[in-house]
Amino acid sequence: MKGKVYLVGAGPGDYKLITLKGMECIRGADVIVYDRLANPEYLKEAKNGCELIDAGKASSDHTLSQDKINAVIADKAKEGKVVVRLKGGDPYVFGRGGEEGEYLLECDIPFEVVPGITSAIAGPCYAGIPITHRDYASSFHVITGHLKDDEKDDINWSALAGLKGTLVFLMGVANLQKISQNLIREGKNPATPAALISWATRYNQSVVTGNLETIYELALQNNVKPPTLIVIGDVVSLRDKLNFFEEKPLFGKNVVVTRAREQNSQLTAMIHDLGGHAIELPAIKIEEIENNEVLSQCIDHLKSYTYLVFTSQNTVGIFFKKLEEKGLDTRSLGHMKIAAVGPSTVSSLKSKGINPDIIPQRAVGEAVYESLKDILTSTDHILLPKSAIAREYLTEELRKICEVTAVSLYHTVTEPIDKELLLNLLEQNEAHYITFTSSSTVTNLIKAIGTENINRLKSAKLISIGPVTSETIRKYGLEVYKEPDKYTIDEMAKCIIKDIKR
Ligand code: SAH
């Protein structure tokens, strides 16, 4: 049985600039052969067991030659596998997708092409440069800057120099001097605005602007390296006005996220949408307690409880999984009042169709106690699912009023983190913010980098979610830079934005 090959355009780099169809292909692939310019984050979407092959392709040091790439994708498909050939931008824009298609046709292997957003258009866009504009350019031209060494390259410079439209050169940094000189020699105005856009659409996008005459010198001064787009034309002058991407509040900022991978998506997505770079260093991992007999018994006796208090999003997930395993659903909770601590716990419950009766003002034990103490009576019985390392405070206080059955659902364990990555960032003052969402993220991060390195954390601004976490940070002799008034992820992000605006 033959497999199939999908030549998929991964878009220009911004994680969200891939097509739905492209993402569907990635999720369904048995093998992914990927390029350097495809955002590596997409590989996390591959299914378990998917084989990942790096095809490299930096212009001078090819990791795999084109012949080898052709052979690999064809061989894997012949084994009956679904192969995704993942390429930066669009597969047919200087991506050699055409050659791969022809080869597959020769081998009689079925294939499809999924177009992608090309960097040639998205790159200028994210640099604030519209590729056409009624007042400035009525056409655009995308040209390879990968020139042959001899003087007789395939490019008709005099024709190009005569065009009024926007010129976009890909793979052209190494030949920038030649490109600008040829155009000027053939009569293009040396004062034509020009831009160099490196790592376009990514958190590390950088842009240099000048004109046709100055751009080569500017490239040298700014040490411009591939991948870079060269844009030449009057539209470049609109950058000052239309630069929406670099204007985003977190653009150029690295924010370290220490939360468990299972729950950090909200924070990383928020950082990304604000233009920042979230560096995931999950210091903790949530480990569900297996074969939890205590939980099982609690669920068998749901009728005996009058209150159910969810203290975290994790408790909601695990509790409902168990409920489902037993063939039960929300109807079995109908007789109880339900409390939810923290906004993500509230939204988890809402997604289960439950509108919590009690939502404490703040997500700390003291506030939960306050919200319950006047409504509870001695005949009540509270079921309190929690983390194994939760403070005893709440259980102890509530027990002074009525019966409380506290049941541990999960452990928070240390996750090995990339210590070198973090220490390097700190050394270069490039970990701009580190976010801590619980005491255990603090303790475990410090355990991971070693107490001898605690002082290095002083080069970053430490953002704590609330007072309990702040206390732990201070216990290590570190300063809490900001703590939001409301203890939520949203508010943490707002703290960072406010700080930058200041
Ligand atoms: N198929 C790709 C282009 C591949 S050729 C596309 O459609 O975008 C590789 C060249 O594309 C690089 O040398 C660089 O000039 C350009 N390029 C691709 N992605 C880029 C990015 N994010 N930033 C700047 N240039 C990029």
Side-chain angles (χ1 to χ4, degrees):
M1 190 198 66
K2 266 196 206 113
K4 183 163 181 173
V5 176
Y6 293 89
L7 305 178
V8 176
D14 177 337
Y15 183 77
K16 291 193 178 171
L17 292 184
I18 190 170
T19 62
L20 293 175
K21 190 163 183 177
M23 192 54 108
E24 203 175 277
C25 290
I26 290 172
R27 291 187 178 133
D30 301 313
V31 181
I32 301 177
V33 184
Y34 61 96
D35 276 359
R36 173 176 92 108
L37 288 175
N39 186 334
E41 291 288 308
Y42 297 134
L43 301 176
K44 290 186 187 158
E45 293 294 321
K47 64 185 182 195
N48 275 342
C50 174
E51 185 182 357
L52 304 175
I53 300 174
D54 181 358
K57 292 216 110 188
S59 73
S60 52
D61 78 280
H62 291 232
T63 311
L64 279 185
S65 68
Q66 189 61 47
D67 286 346
K68 284 210 180 105
I69 294 174
N70 290 350
V72 166
I73 55 180
D75 288 350
K76 296 286 176 189
K78 282 179 196 154
E79 289 169 24
K81 293 185 171 146
V82 175
V83 181
V84 162
R85 171 77 179 105
L86 190 65
K87 295 161 166 292
D90 180 88
Y92 280 173
V93 178
F94 302 124
R96 306 190 73 169
E99 290 158 65
E100 288 168 13
E102 284 176 313
Y103 184 79
L104 293 167
L105 196 74
E106 264 171 43
C107 302
D108 202 21
I109 293 167
F111 71 93
E112 273 186 48
V113 185
V114 181
I117 299 180
T118 178
S119 65
I121 295 175
C125 168
Y126 268 47
I129 303 168
I131 199 160
T132 70
H133 188 289
R134 274 172 74 95
D135 298 336
Y136 300 94
S138 48
S139 67
F140 65 86
H141 312 270
V142 179
I143 308 132
T144 176
H146 197 89
L147 310 176
K148 295 192 187 125
D149 284 337
D150 54 56
E151 278 306 301
K152 277 192 257 103
D153 47 53
D154 305 336
I155 294 173
N156 183 342
W157 292 103
S158 105
L160 275 187
L163 291 167
K164 292 219 163 56
T166 309
L167 306 182
V168 183
F169 287 87
L170 275 66
M171 302 178 284
V173 207
N175 291 313
L176 180 57
Q177 191 176 26
K178 241 186 186 174
I179 292 169
S180 50
Q181 279 175 354
N182 287 347
L183 290 171
I184 292 173
R185 190 192 63 222
E186 297 298 332
K188 194 149 183 84
N189 183 353
T192 311
L196 304 172
I197 311 164
S198 306
W199 289 111
T201 79
R202 301 221 187 182
Y203 66 90
N204 56 337
Q205 167 174 309
S206 66
V207 180
V208 173
T209 52
N211 61 38
L212 202 48
E213 190 157 39
T214 58
I215 200 71
Y216 174 64
E217 272 308 314
L218 288 167
L220 293 182
Q221 281 165 25
N222 290 282
N223 194 21
V224 173
K225 295 253 153 42
T228 294
L229 301 151
I230 304 166
V231 185
I232 300 164
D234 291 332
V235 284
V236 170
S237 62
L238 289 164
R239 169 172 158 76
D240 293 339
K241 275 199 251 171
L242 302 180
N243 190 355
F244 70 94
F245 179 59
E246 292 166 32
E247 295 290 316
K248 287 193 164 206
L250 293 190
F251 179 75
K253 298 292 176 206
N254 294 321
V255 184
V256 176
V257 177
T258 57
R259 230 172 174 215
R261 215 177 278 287
E262 298 83 353
Q263 8 164 240
N264 69 10
S265 55
Q266 187 197 353
L267 186 54
T268 51
M270 207 178 288
I271 293 166
H272 179 92
D273 288 342
L274 293 166
H277 180 217
I279 300 170
E280 294 180 64
L281 291 173
I284 57 167
K285 193 163 91 182
I286 304 300
E287 237 172 46
E288 184 183 338
I289 296 172
E290 303 264 342
N291 304 319
N292 195 337
E293 268 312 307
V294 186
L295 173 62
S296 181
Q297 278 170 24
C298 291
I299 290 183
D300 290 342
H301 297 99
L302 282 175
K303 279 277 168 278
S304 61
Y305 307 104
T306 52
Y307 280 82
L308 176 54
V309 179
F310 287 104
T311 50
S312 71
Q313 193 182 2
N314 302 314
T315 57
V316 177
I318 299 171
F319 186 89
F320 274 83
K321 204 173 85 184
K322 197 65 161 186
L323 207 61
E324 241 178 79
E325 275 170 27
K326 289 183 176 278
L328 298 172
D329 58 39
T330 47
R331 285 170 297 178
S332 56
L333 310 177
H335 61 286
M336 288 185 273
K337 290 268 182 244
I338 294 181
V341 183
S344 38
T345 312
V346 173
S347 57
S348 294
L349 279 171
K350 286 196 170 158
S351 74
K352 307 272 180 214
I354 294 177
N355 209 359
D357 303 284
I358 302 142
I359 303 173
Q361 288 269 311
R362 293 175 307 131
V364 289
E366 287 74 2
V368 183
Y369 175 72
E370 279 302 312
S371 68
L372 289 169
K373 73 175 193 328
D374 295 330
I375 47 177
L376 292 170
T377 67
S378 60
T379 55
D380 277 314
H381 189 172
I382 304 174
L383 178 57
L384 184 76
K386 62 181 199 54
S387 144
I389 53 153
R391 291 157 69 212
E392 290 301 324
Y393 169 85
L394 184 61
T395 318
E396 280 169 8
E397 289 305 302
L398 291 173
R399 277 200 180 126
K400 292 176 189 164
I401 308 175
C402 64
E403 197 177 339
V404 179
T405 300
V407 49
S408 296
L409 302 195
Y410 60 93
H411 292 284
T412 316
V413 298
T414 316
E415 172 92 309
I417 65 159
D418 191 340
K419 174 179 165 183
E420 292 313 313
L421 173 72
L422 180 58
L423 291 180
N424 274 335
L425 282 171
L426 290 168
E427 192 133 315
Q428 290 159 21
N429 287 325
E430 285 197 341
H432 302 114
Y433 296 92
I434 305 181
T435 55
F436 293 105
T437 47
S438 66
S439 284
S440 45
T441 60
V442 184
T443 316
N444 290 341
L445 186 90
I446 288 174
K447 214 193 264 172
I449 62 168
T451 40
E452 69 281 10
N453 289 313
I454 285 186
N455 277 337
R456 300 222 210 164
L457 291 171
K458 290 181 176 161
S459 77
K461 293 176 171 173
L462 311 185
I463 311 291
S464 154
I465 196 165
V468 181
T469 306
S470 296
E471 202 181 297
T472 311
I473 295 177
R474 292 195 190 98
K475 204 181 74 194
Y476 287 104
L478 295 166
E479 195 186 315
V480 176
Y481 185 75
K482 280 264 152 63
E483 178 195 297
D485 299 334
K486 280 194 216 131
Y487 315 145
T488 68
I489 301 286
D490 267 1
E491 294 297 319
M492 275 178 102
K494 279 189 200 151
C495 266
I496 300 178
I497 296 170
K498 246 197 244 158
D499 184 53
I500 290 167
K501 286 208 175 125
R502 206 167 49 86

